[in-house]
Amino acid sequence: MKLPIAIHTDEDYDRAQQRVKELNAMPDGDEKERELQALAEAMLAFELRRDDADD
């Protein structure tokens, strides 16, 4: 079982963005889509937490 992706810092977010670029350069597949979806959800959650902290 794989662990969910969690983003806690701006550095984690930057690494996630880099991973998205790497994945987009790879051939399509189920594993790629699952990882992209997990990254998207983690990045969105981080952005929402960051926006709430700014308010």
Side-chain angles (χ1 to χ4, degrees):
M1 179 179 157
K2 292 186 178 184
L3 297 174
I5 296 172
I7 299 174
H8 299 285
T9 66
D10 288 333
E11 292 167 346
D12 291 341
Y13 189 85
D14 292 341
R15 281 193 295 273
Q17 287 180 312
Q18 182 60 39
R19 182 62 180 151
V20 167
K21 289 178 189 175
E22 292 169 3
L23 287 168
N24 283 328
M26 295 171 58
D28 289 342
D30 290 339
E31 186 65 29
K32 173 185 171 179
E33 290 304 316
R34 282 192 292 271
E35 188 172 348
L36 283 171
Q37 182 65 35
L39 283 165
E41 290 173 7
M43 292 170 78
L44 178 60
F46 176 77
E47 291 168 3
L48 291 172
R49 284 192 311 271
R50 186 172 52 190
D51 287 347
D52 284 346
D54 290 343
D55 288 345

